[in-house]
Amino acid sequence: MSTPTEAPQSATPGEDPIRIAQVEIRPTEGLAVVAGRAVPLSVREFELLSALASRSGHVVAREELFSSVWGGPLRRGDRSIDVYVHKVRQKLEAASPGWHFIHTHIGFGYRFSPEPAH
Amino acid sequence: MSTPTEAPQSATPGEDPIRIAQVEIRPTEGLAVVAGRAVPLSVREFELLSALASRSGHVVAREELFSSVWGGPLRRGDRSIDVYVHKVRQKLEAASPGWHFIHTHIGFGYRFSPEPAH
DNA sequence: CCGCCTGTGAAAGGCACGTGAACAACGGTG
DNA sequence: CACCGTTGTTCACGTGCCTTTCACAGGCGG
């Protein structure tokens, strides 16, 4: 079956597609394919998803997420991450109903891990 | 050079017909057939469609599209691609109403993939 | 009860793209 | 040579999307 990919995560969103369960991310195209469906993502949305998926199964701290995607220190009160997590969630779950992909860890950050809504 | 390590994709349209869903592209004839109807295309239009269709399902960057079809670096502010995508879209969708063929990926490029307008 | 944190809808501004039209370059025709 | 249809390029003006920010609501712990 599928051994949770323990690939040597490279900081830069490399050029090789990332595959996790029914999700495929193509860095060179800025395109995500979920359950066989092309999911149109904006630049920010795509970078956020990449940052999360490249560390699939691990909790990524808000500070780390922000510096990865927005490229700077996270200012107090900045809600950009929340807004974009929401947008990505919507699109992923619309493409694959009954599944959850991004999980919240209050006080820490977010974790990418495709799971049935059960 | 900037030749991507990929399949025998060539900037010049090959000689074998490309068939995707209801679309057939005949390089030797410079003709496209959509839903059984012959679609007359100019040289530029045909080359643009070929460049997109030869990578069906994948997002083709504006830069790459331009160098493939126009044969040079994409100048800042050049809207030729937009204009020709519009022309090709019109003709394809006129031949097969209710379907979309060329999808925009803002900030990246375009993707050829026949889909119901839904 | 009071803060802190996150979810979520919406407004504002900027920018990429959609689209109709004008213009120039050709080639064919009378 | 004058006229005309086609093609490719450029311009001008919307229009919708993207990003950021604000506002409000609910959950949880102290």
Side-chain angles (χ1 to χ4, degrees):
Chain A
M1 307 322 232
S2 61
T3 306
T5 49
E6 186 62 33
Q9 54 87 224
S10 55
T12 53
E15 298 170 358
D16 297 326
I18 300 174
R19 286 187 191 174
I20 298 152
Q22 69 232 262
V23 180
E24 180 180 352
I25 299 173
R26 304 175 184 166
T28 58
E29 300 179 42
L31 177 67
V33 180
V34 180
R37 296 171 187 161
V39 177
L41 296 171
S42 75
V43 176
R44 283 266 188 275
E45 291 166 355
F46 184 81
E47 288 177 354
L48 176 62
L49 177 57
S50 296
L52 284 171
S54 68
R55 311 192 100 199
S56 177
H58 295 266
V59 177
V60 183
R62 292 173 68 90
E63 289 76 12
E64 186 182 340
L65 257 187
F66 191 86
S67 66
S68 278
V69 177
W70 279 264
L74 176 57
R75 293 168 306 169
R76 239 185 74 83
D78 193 314
R79 306 294 311 284
S80 299
I81 290 184
D82 303 77
V83 173
Y84 270 82
V85 164
H86 179 236
K87 291 183 178 182
V88 175
R89 272 178 175 153
Q90 271 190 164
K91 293 188 177 180
L92 293 183
E93 293 174 11
S96 185
W99 286 74
H100 290 167
F101 298 88
I102 301 177
H103 310 271
T104 304
H105 289 253
I106 296 184
F108 293 95
Y110 295 92
R111 173 176 53 93
F112 182 86
S113 178
E115 294 173 9
H118 87 273
Chain B
M1 307 298 272
S2 59
T3 307
T5 63
E6 260 302 329
Q9 62 81 233
S10 57
T12 55
E15 295 174 0
D16 298 327
I18 301 174
R19 305 193 71 200
I20 297 151
Q22 69 230 261
V23 180
E24 181 178 351
I25 299 173
R26 303 175 184 165
T28 58
E29 304 176 46
L31 175 68
V33 180
V34 180
R37 297 170 186 160
V39 177
L41 296 171
S42 74
V43 176
R44 282 268 189 275
E45 291 167 355
F46 185 81
E47 288 177 354
L48 176 61
L49 176 57
S50 296
L52 284 171
S54 67
R55 311 193 100 197
S56 178
H58 293 266
V59 177
V60 183
R62 291 173 68 91
E63 289 277 352
E64 186 181 339
L65 257 187
F66 191 86
S67 66
S68 279
V69 177
W70 279 264
L74 177 57
R75 292 168 306 170
R76 200 180 80 85
D78 193 314
R79 305 293 309 283
S80 300
I81 290 184
D82 303 76
V83 173
Y84 269 81
V85 164
H86 176 57
K87 291 182 178 180
V88 175
R89 270 179 176 154
Q90 270 190 169
K91 294 189 176 180
L92 294 183
E93 292 174 12
S96 184
W99 286 75
H100 290 166
F101 299 88
I102 302 177
H103 309 271
T104 304
H105 288 253
I106 296 183
F108 292 98
Y110 295 93
R111 173 175 54 93
F112 182 85
S113 178
E115 292 174 10
H118 91 275

